[in-house]
Amino acid sequence: MDNIAGKKAGLTWAIHISVVVLVALWLFPTLGLFVSSFRTADQISGSGWWAALSTQERQLPAARLAGDEVIIDGRYVISGELFPNTSALVSAWGISAREPEANVPGDTVALEGEVRLLIDEEGRFVLSGPDSFEGQRLPRVFSTAAAPPEFTLANYERVLFTGTADAGVGNALLNTATVAIPATVIPILIAAFAAYALAWMDFPGRALLVALVVALLVVPLQLALIPLLQLHNTIGIGKGYIGTWLAHTGFGMPLAIYLLRNYMVGLPRDIIESAKVDGATDFQVFTKIVLPLSFPALAAFAIFQFLWTWNDLLVALVFLGTDDRTLVLTGRLVNLMGSRGGDWEILATSAFVSIAVPLVVFFTMQRYLVRGLLAGSVK
Amino acid sequence: MHPALAGLVTIALGVGGCIAYFYLSNLVLDKVLYPARGPNIGRNINRANMIRPWLFLFPALFVLMLYLAYPVLATLWLSLTDRSQGGAFVGFANYRQMMDEPKFWEAIRNNMLWLIVVPAASTAFGLLAAQLTDRISWGSLAKSLIFMPMAISFVGASVIWKLVYDARPEGAEQIGILNAVWVALGGAPQTWLTLDLVNSFFLMAVLIWIQTGFAMVILSAALRGIPEETVEAAIVDGANPFQIFFKIKVPQIMPTIVVVWTTITLVVLKVFDIVLAMTNGQWGTQVLANYMYDRMFRAFDWGVGSAAAIVIMLLVTPILVWNVYNVRKEMR
């Protein structure tokens, strides 16, 4: 069937090209963030991330000369490097903000009072004068430099391991994991038992309960916030992890029951009935037969619930709170966007830290995720 | 105790507690309450089997009722009371107050736009991607990459797209790709997120980007389920690929398209993170869920906040009824 297109070479090409364009559109935004997280603040603001692999020529911020003074041939001399840590090549420089590109490397410029300044291509400078520079402010140098492509892990080190206000991301990562893992594990067993009852046990009201689960599946959790917060305060949990775990368990329950029931209904009737004829109780049938057979559905739900709890913002804000100690990654990111909206090196790195774990889960368990989606929505 | 440690303990307690509950309750039922022996063995077994489903269901039902069913009613009640008057019943005063706020109508207007644009665009892109990737050798890789945003949080996606929309003053090097392209085409750099009317569409793009993969996966499975005879017959009759797609394939997967559409509609109605993170409802981009959050947790006006939540619930209700109707039909 697929060779309908194959008959026309032009159409095949059109398809390949359209898919390349689609994939590029869908991949580029994430790629931009990923590349940016490995660049320094100067690089990010100096050029777009797509230029990260090319040599960049850009104006550097003014640098004030500094160094130790020595006396050579009766003149006081200070020498050093403009950019000690990088390998940029100077293409032009100047000493006034109005003419930052007045001189080329190798020029010697005469300043006030017989002071001379020489800057070469590699950013080395020599400042010399007849009097000591002691106590004086040394001149500022503006430079335009070509820096080779360069990537750094410093951003990651900074957001993950420095516990200062601009980071806190390491702590938030731990908080997110603390929320997400129990909130993923706990609902599974509860839902599995219920799903088995709804799939394979006969009792009055079963159809009604299935309908109820389907109805609750779409109830917006926005409605649950205030009443549950009041409830948690009344029973003494207040804001904290326990309340957040409970809330996630409750909100994930309809999907869990629905997915697992749909899967369990499709299990072969013969196996279950012959086990019952052989004298197995429902409890044994469930634990020995249905639960192991349902592994794909259990995995699918676990992935959904993990992605959802890891990525959630609203539930964490409301039930866990907004102070620095308990803020989860998503909440931290929103704060960073407000307070450090222009500091892309911090923002991009923090964002990438927050999406790295879901991406790993996604790419390793995609099979189960797709299967779960299909079980959940296609009839 | 460190919260992470508490988390591990909770996992152990939660899972252990569940196992213990299910095991012990079954044990009590079978051995103590209605033992399968003695003179009434037949009656006992029957009774135990009548009770057992409820043992299996109890924890899940309890959680469902407490965390989803009860709050709906409680929120309905809250929306009719006033917190500042000690929770006194005030009728529809909160709703009237909400209707008088221009921000509410802005949110309604934007939500309607979102409801039209996002499901339509996601489904269309998803259908396109599904159809195209099914025909090429590297299709599954392409699918993976288009599907990937599904794993990214709304907040993470907001950061990603904020970089795309980033604007620098005219003359400076643009680091946002949209402005870079725009400037290369001869335009002046724009701060896209503050442009009235269009900025909502830039926020919608984020959700479309996330949801397209979902639509693609489901629709691709549906496309593969189409009986080949129908397509073969169309080829024999001389239909071109476009006719085959629109006249043969699309009508056959219509039920799936409806499911995808409604699922994305549900996501749209609850969209909150994207707006909060990118504009916080400024510059005319407010949506209902963020309006509600604003009233509830910034203005601490629970009445109006709950009223907004009820409006979201009302918008969801047709889909709820439709889903329940379908499931009941299926179970018959």
Side-chain angles (χ1 to χ4, degrees):
Chain A
M1 268 319 86
D2 293 323
N3 55 17
I4 319 162
K7 283 180 191 161
K8 296 174 183 169
L11 194 58
T12 315
W13 274 108
I15 288 173
H16 277 283
I17 292 168
S18 333
V19 176
V20 169
V21 171
L22 264 181
V23 169
L25 270 176
W26 255 256
L27 193 59
F28 266 34
T30 318
L31 196 64
L33 189 84
F34 183 63
V35 172
S36 297
S37 72
F38 292 103
R39 306 178 80 204
T40 63
D42 286 345
Q43 285 173 320
I44 291 176
S45 55
S47 64
W49 58 268
W50 52 90
L53 278 178
S54 58
T55 300
Q56 296 157 34
E57 186 149 299
R58 63 171 192 275
Q59 268 194 23
L60 300 173
R64 194 170 289 284
L65 300 180
D68 294 327
E69 194 172 69
V70 289
I71 303 173
I72 301 173
D73 298 341
R75 284 177 70 85
Y76 293 84
V77 175
I78 296 179
S79 61
E81 291 193 38
L82 277 182
F83 351 92
N85 299 321
T86 53
S87 50
L89 289 181
V90 178
S91 61
W93 60 279
I95 45 163
S96 88
R98 267 167 293 144
E99 288 179 285
E101 302 193 342
N103 312 98
V104 295
D107 277 2
T108 302
V109 174
L111 306 174
E112 277 170 39
E114 297 266 312
V115 174
R116 284 201 289 274
L117 175 62
L118 165 77
I119 291 178
D120 76 1
E121 198 181 31
E122 274 151 47
R124 286 186 292 255
F125 67 86
V126 180
L127 181 71
S128 62
D131 307 311
S132 170
F133 292 102
E134 193 81 34
Q136 285 186 38
R137 270 153 64 88
L138 298 180
R140 286 189 305 167
V141 170
F142 299 84
S143 57
T144 303
E150 199 181 347
F151 297 97
T152 170
L153 285 171
N155 297 333
Y156 284 94
E157 208 185 319
R158 183 167 168 203
V159 300
L160 283 177
F161 302 117
T162 48
T164 48
D166 63 39
V169 171
N171 187 32
L173 185 70
L174 197 62
N175 291 344
T176 296
T178 308
V179 168
I181 296 170
T184 304
V185 175
I186 291 168
I188 294 180
L189 206 57
I190 299 178
F193 272 94
Y196 174 78
L198 291 176
W200 287 105
M201 291 168 113
D202 241 341
F203 59 94
R206 186 173 73 153
L208 209 64
L209 283 182
V210 174
L212 176 78
V213 169
V214 172
L216 292 179
L217 199 56
V218 303
V219 167
L221 63 88
Q222 270 90 354
L223 276 90
L225 303 179
I226 296 282
L228 289 183
L229 212 51
Q230 285 179 318
L231 180 82
H232 285 173
N233 284 333
T234 312
I235 60 175
I237 302 176
K239 281 190 174 193
Y241 285 103
I242 295 178
T244 315
W245 291 324
L246 284 174
H248 273 310
T249 302
F251 300 150
M253 196 54 65
L255 181 70
I257 299 178
Y258 180 69
L259 270 184
L260 293 176
R261 180 191 164 271
N262 275 0
Y263 190 86
M264 287 178 185
V265 161
L267 293 176
R269 181 171 283 274
D270 306 352
I271 305 179
I272 290 160
E273 276 178 358
S274 58
K276 280 195 181 166
V277 169
D278 289 345
T281 64
D282 273 310
F283 189 75
Q284 286 166 327
V285 171
F286 173 74
T287 50
K288 300 250 164 70
I289 301 175
V290 173
L291 206 55
L293 282 179
S294 303
F295 177 76
L298 296 173
F301 168 71
I303 298 168
F304 276 126
Q305 180 77 356
F306 179 77
L307 290 180
W308 151 245
T309 49
W310 185 280
N311 289 339
D312 160 77
L313 172 68
L314 186 57
V315 174
L317 281 188
V318 174
F319 292 102
L320 194 54
T322 48
D323 63 326
D324 269 354
R325 209 167 33 80
T326 54
L327 212 52
V328 292
L329 272 172
T330 44
R332 168 67 62 192
L333 271 181
V334 171
N335 280 5
L336 282 177
M337 281 173 97
S339 63
R340 292 174 158 263
D343 296 355
W344 277 108
E345 76 284 4
I346 295 204
L347 207 47
T349 312
S350 309
F352 205 77
V353 166
S354 90
I355 66 179
V357 174
L359 283 186
V360 168
V361 170
F362 172 82
F363 279 116
T364 50
M365 315 254 244
Q366 202 178 2
R367 207 158 41 101
Y368 294 111
L369 187 69
V370 169
R371 213 182 287 179
L373 273 183
L374 294 178
S377 25
V378 174
K379 296 276 82 208
Chain B
M1 189 160 40
H2 193 278
L5 199 65
L8 290 178
V9 173
T10 309
I11 292 179
L13 278 180
V15 174
C18 279
I19 294 173
Y21 160 78
F22 286 115
Y23 182 75
L24 291 179
S25 64
N26 273 279
L27 203 67
V28 167
L29 186 68
D30 287 331
K31 301 281 186 244
V32 181
L33 280 181
Y34 297 110
R37 59 172 189 271
N40 300 326
I41 175 165
R43 206 188 65 191
N44 274 359
I45 289 179
N46 278 343
R47 284 201 178 156
N49 282 341
M50 271 171 63
I51 294 177
R52 199 182 324 276
W54 300 101
L55 286 185
F56 275 49
L57 282 165
F58 171 73
L61 279 183
F62 179 75
V63 169
L64 280 180
M65 288 302 158
L66 191 62
Y67 274 81
L68 284 166
Y70 151 75
V72 172
L73 299 177
T75 299
L76 187 62
W77 172 249
L78 275 176
S79 77
L80 302 172
T81 58
D82 190 342
R83 193 186 178 199
S84 59
Q85 297 175 33
F89 182 81
V90 292
F92 288 100
N94 291 318
Y95 290 88
R96 236 172 283 136
Q97 189 191 336
M98 181 172 73
M99 303 268 186
D100 286 338
E101 287 184 38
K103 267 287 177 191
F104 170 73
W105 291 108
E106 179 191 312
I108 289 278
R109 186 202 67 192
N110 284 331
N111 256 84
M112 290 304 147
L113 269 180
W114 281 75
L115 279 180
I116 297 164
V117 174
V118 175
S122 305
T123 313
F125 278 124
L127 192 55
L128 181 74
Q131 171 69 10
L132 293 180
T133 51
D134 268 350
R135 297 170 151 213
I136 56 175
S137 49
W138 53 289
S140 60
L141 174 69
K143 271 203 190 108
S144 252
L145 293 175
I146 295 176
F147 193 31
M148 182 192 68
M150 188 83 192
I152 297 175
S153 61
F154 286 173
V155 178
S158 302
V159 177
I160 288 175
W161 281 85
K162 214 159 180 194
L163 181 60
V164 171
Y165 298 146
D166 190 272
R168 300 275 143 145
E170 196 156 5
E173 190 85 23
Q174 295 299 326
I175 64 164
I177 200 163
L178 189 61
N179 265 319
V181 171
W182 183 251
V183 169
L185 293 175
Q190 303 284 338
T191 47
W192 303 105
L193 293 176
T194 60
L195 290 180
D196 205 17
L197 296 176
V198 238
N199 50 8
S200 280
F201 290 92
F202 288 111
L203 298 188
M204 289 178 209
V206 182
L207 194 55
I208 295 170
W209 179 73
I210 293 175
Q211 292 294 326
T212 294
F214 161 76
M216 176 194 67
V217 165
I218 308 253
L219 293 171
S220 155
L223 282 175
R224 271 193 236 125
I226 291 177
E228 295 207 355
E229 300 84 14
T230 58
V231 181
E232 275 165 18
I235 298 173
V236 171
D237 288 346
N240 68 37
F242 291 97
Q243 286 173 321
I244 292 172
F245 182 66
F246 286 108
K247 300 229 166 107
I248 308 289
K249 287 186 170 176
V250 170
Q252 294 196 63
I253 59 165
M254 218 32 165
T256 313
I257 293 181
V258 171
V259 168
V260 170
W261 193 291
T262 49
T263 309
I264 299 177
T265 302
L266 289 172
V267 178
V268 170
L269 279 170
K270 302 174 201 169
V271 69
F272 153 76
D273 318 29
I274 295 177
V275 177
L276 176 81
M278 291 188 90
T279 63
N280 198 8
Q282 290 169 287
W283 307 296
T285 55
Q286 190 65 296
V287 292
L288 270 176
N290 192 47
Y291 171 81
M292 182 217 77
Y293 183 82
D294 198 55
R295 298 281 98 200
M296 266 187 195
F297 296 105
R298 292 212 192 88
F300 294 104
D301 190 341
W302 290 3
V304 173
S306 299
I310 293 294
V311 171
I312 299 176
M313 184 68 212
L314 286 179
L315 290 171
V316 169
T317 305
I319 298 175
L320 186 151
V321 172
W322 169 250
N323 282 356
V324 169
Y325 168 79
N326 279 337
V327 163
R328 304 226 53 168
K329 200 170 66 179
E330 213 170 276
M331 284 188 67
R332 233 167 260 146

